[in-house]
Amino acid sequence: MAAWSDLTFDALEHITSLLSFSDRYRFGAVCKNWRSVSKGTQHPPAPQLPWLVLEEESETRKRKFYSLSEDKHYSIEIPELYGRYICGSSHGWLFAVDIKISGIIINPFTRKYYELPPLPAYHKNVDVTTLIENVPSDCMERPRGFTFKEMQTAIVFKAILSHDPDEMSDFTIMILFGQMHSPAFWRPGDSSWTVVDGPKCAMEDVLYFQENFYIISAMNVLYVVDFEPEPKLIEVGPQICPEICLEGCALQRYLIDFNENMILIERFSLSVGNELPITHGFNMIEPNLEEDCLYEWYDIDDYAIFLGRNSAIFVDSSDVPECKKNAIYFTHITESVSPVEFGFHDLGVYDITDKRINTFYSVGVFPPRVDSPVWFTPNSS
């Protein structure tokens, strides 16, 4: 009988196409030949649930990840992320900011990354870019009202990519930054961020859809980014009246490209006493730009959507048995106001059918409060 290590390249590559991301790494650890096949395969991993990117371990500085499919943590050595705050993910890349308020995008598994220019000012009275040239890595002094740690977590609200940088070198990063979550973009070769001109109101999410960037405001107004001649926001689509919910208010709005349909998802919260707001429901609307009308969505069939600081992700539950169908998995994106216990507290999975919320993690495996949980689809290409 032939040894497993003597299997042909084609046979081994076919096996890797059936493996999840983490199983592919285990496959590559068997022997030198299998490791070569694992790294060189052109097949994407088998369909899987997204991971969560968690905090840095204080003693080892390893970055913690949580695999939803396996219900377990991984601690991975990624020196490029030491001391950095993760504030976005897109196409398998992470957007991270360090204590000196400089950013990078990085694929944590290939370790390829791009260093980014200094970020724009938080607002006109809080511009840290002139103060950070000689700031030590552990500096916590206040830059005009903010500690550097506070600024590190607040400066960028959302960050997305137009394309996977490994597949297209001419990509664009769009961020929502500062007090009003204003849009700004960067492309490889740019020496600075370009701020997009627009109305003086808070923006809540950004989506790259059919070769355009779309942004939704807190007032439920949809905009498209017009890059020429000067970058600006232009209002588009039908008027979207804010949803009225007697049991709470809209905490956050998200945009997702769901099977080539742009969907606006409103997330409703409810506060009890002095407690922080807790998610209790979602509403889904399709602003159809071609027909200039709105369609309300009541279910997503066998799919699940993953919302948070990431570019919204959807998964077909028929491909991933452990995935709950017709459901929305969510993480919180608002930090605790507690000066002692900084973290995030509102994570769960919303069943669209019965309108109930449950946890998606096992007790004891995933703590109720974690730092900056961000959904992330591993990408080893």
Side-chain angles (χ1 to χ4, degrees):
M1 180 179 292
W4 282 97
S5 58
D6 293 331
L7 287 173
T8 66
F9 181 92
D10 288 344
L12 292 171
E13 188 174 46
H14 176 70
I15 292 172
T16 65
S17 71
L18 305 175
L19 301 178
S20 67
F21 181 82
S22 52
D23 284 340
R24 184 174 288 186
Y25 265 75
R26 297 185 184 101
F27 175 94
V30 171
C31 64
K32 184 177 180 180
N33 186 32
W34 287 28
R35 182 163 58 252
S36 175
V37 173
S38 177
K39 289 184 176 181
T41 182
Q42 299 300 309
H43 296 292
Q48 61 183 326
L49 291 175
W51 289 22
L52 274 173
V53 188
L54 304 177
E55 70 275 12
E56 179 181 286
E57 292 182 340
S58 57
E59 294 183 0
T60 66
R61 305 198 75 181
K62 291 181 178 180
R63 179 63 58 167
K64 291 179 67 176
F65 293 82
Y66 174 72
S67 169
L68 184 57
S69 295
E70 301 170 281
D71 193 26
K72 67 178 292 186
H73 287 116
Y74 290 95
S75 296
I76 302 175
E77 186 82 30
I78 309 173
E80 295 85 356
L81 290 179
Y82 285 173
R84 292 186 182 268
Y85 178 79
I86 310 300
C87 51
S89 77
S90 186
H91 293 283
W93 292 65
L94 302 177
F95 188 102
V97 179
D98 70 11
I99 198 68
K100 296 184 180 181
I101 325 301
S102 65
I104 65 168
I105 57 166
I106 180 171
N107 182 324
F109 295 107
T110 66
R111 303 279 291 280
K112 183 177 180 179
Y113 68 93
Y114 292 81
E115 293 187 354
L116 305 173
L119 290 159
Y122 182 78
H123 63 70
K124 64 180 180 179
N125 296 321
V126 183
D127 183 358
V128 301
T129 58
T130 59
L131 304 176
I132 62 177
E133 184 176 353
N134 298 309
V135 176
S137 61
D138 60 349
C139 179
M140 295 296 287
E141 293 181 4
R142 292 182 174 271
R144 303 185 192 176
F146 283 75
T147 66
F148 279 91
K149 181 64 176 177
E150 290 167 342
M151 180 62 70
Q152 181 187 19
T153 60
I155 186 77
V156 175
F157 178 74
K158 198 73 175 274
I160 72 166
L161 289 160
S162 62
H163 304 87
D164 182 343
D166 282 328
E167 296 179 358
M168 182 176 292
S169 59
D170 185 22
F171 63 89
T172 301
I173 306 174
M174 186 71 69
I175 63 171
L176 300 181
F177 77 94
Q179 188 177 38
M180 301 302 289
H181 305 163
S182 303
F185 67 91
W186 177 87
R187 292 168 175 148
D190 290 352
S191 60
S192 62
W193 292 89
T194 300
V195 177
V196 180
D197 187 37
K200 304 304 179 185
C201 64
M203 302 299 161
E204 297 213 342
D205 202 9
V206 55
L207 170 70
Y208 190 71
F209 178 74
Q210 297 181 351
E211 305 301 316
N212 286 295
F213 284 99
Y214 291 90
I215 296 175
I216 188 73
S217 77
M219 302 303 294
N220 266 14
V221 178
L222 184 66
Y223 300 92
V224 65
V225 178
D226 181 7
F227 288 94
E228 301 295 341
E230 296 294 333
K232 59 185 176 297
L233 295 182
I234 297 177
E235 186 175 341
V236 294
Q239 183 177 2
I240 307 171
C241 295
E243 180 76 9
I244 297 174
C245 181
L246 297 179
E247 298 180 3
C249 59
L251 172 69
Q252 179 65 36
R253 294 160 182 84
Y254 305 89
L255 293 172
I256 180 173
D257 180 352
F258 181 79
N259 284 329
E260 301 185 355
N261 299 286
M262 182 195 295
I263 306 297
L264 165 65
I265 302 178
E266 294 178 302
R267 173 175 173 175
F268 292 99
S269 65
L270 182 66
S271 297
V272 179
N274 295 323
E275 295 293 323
L276 293 172
I278 297 294
T279 298
H280 74 93
F282 292 84
N283 185 60
M284 298 181 292
I285 301 170
E286 178 189 352
N288 190 297
L289 303 183
E290 293 183 358
E291 300 177 14
D292 195 35
C293 62
L294 301 173
Y295 295 104
E296 189 160 5
W297 284 46
Y298 299 98
D299 64 67
I300 51 175
D301 297 324
D302 290 335
Y303 290 92
I305 291 174
F306 295 79
L307 300 177
R309 302 195 81 153
N310 54 292
S311 293
I313 302 165
F314 67 89
V315 171
D316 188 341
S317 66
S318 62
D319 293 331
V320 188
E322 60 270 26
C323 180
K324 187 175 181 61
K325 70 177 183 179
N326 201 30
I328 297 174
Y329 291 76
F330 61 91
T331 63
H332 207 338
I333 57 174
T334 304
E335 63 268 22
S336 166
V337 295
S338 167
V340 177
E341 189 176 18
F342 177 83
F344 295 73
H345 68 287
D346 189 10
L347 306 92
V349 54
Y350 175 73
D351 188 312
I352 297 172
T353 302
D354 64 20
K355 302 187 185 319
R356 293 183 179 180
I357 293 176
N358 295 295
T359 59
F360 54 72
Y361 50 87
S362 299
V363 176
V365 173
F366 199 90
R369 285 183 180 268
V370 295
D371 183 23
S372 64
V374 178
W375 293 115
F376 164 75
T377 302
N379 174 5
S380 59
S381 61

